[in-house]
């Protein structure tokens, strides 16, 4: 049976265009595919976040606060 764990995530109310732009820039600088730094949490950004989480043994499925801390963005 899978283990479930509650994780704080980033949602529309605590997300800003600036934060998402910083996220995109950081991921792009680390070699992840980000075409545009536009501050929009789009499919490409989601895919890069998911891949980053997988490669760093982080909880996957959403943009977590843990992921942002791991990227030094929180």
């Amino acid at each position: 049976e899978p283990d479930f764990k509650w994780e704080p995530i980033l949602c529309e109310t605590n997300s800003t265009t600036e934060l998402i732009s910083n996220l995109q820039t950081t991921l792009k600088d680390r070699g992840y595919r980000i075409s545009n730094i536009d501050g929009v949490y789009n499919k490409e950004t989601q895919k890069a976040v998911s891949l980053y989480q997988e490669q760093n043994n982080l909880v996957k499925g959403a943009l977590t606060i843990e992921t942002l801390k791991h990227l030094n963005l929180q």
Side-chain angles (χ1 to χ4, degrees):
E1 241 180 77
D3 288 334
F4 291 95
K5 182 179 173 187
W6 288 102
E7 283 289 332
I9 64 166
L10 201 68
C11 61
E12 287 181 29
T13 55
N14 59 359
S15 173
T16 64
T17 302
E18 181 183 11
L19 177 64
I20 300 305
S21 291
N22 290 339
L23 171 66
Q24 290 169 326
T25 299
T26 301
L27 288 168
K28 186 172 186 163
D29 289 349
R30 292 181 182 213
Y32 293 88
R33 183 175 178 189
I34 300 290
S35 302
N36 292 320
I37 309 298
D38 58 8
V40 177
Y41 194 66
N42 54 33
K43 292 275 186 206
E44 183 181 60
T45 305
Q46 291 172 1
K47 196 171 182 179
V49 166
S50 183
L51 187 57
Y52 178 83
Q53 291 169 327
E54 187 177 308
Q55 292 174 342
N56 289 277
N57 297 315
L58 299 169
V59 173
K60 293 188 306 182
L63 179 54
T64 62
I65 302 301
E66 177 190 28
T67 299
L68 291 173
K69 287 180 179 175
H70 201 266
L71 288 162
N72 295 318
L73 294 172
Q74 278 279 278

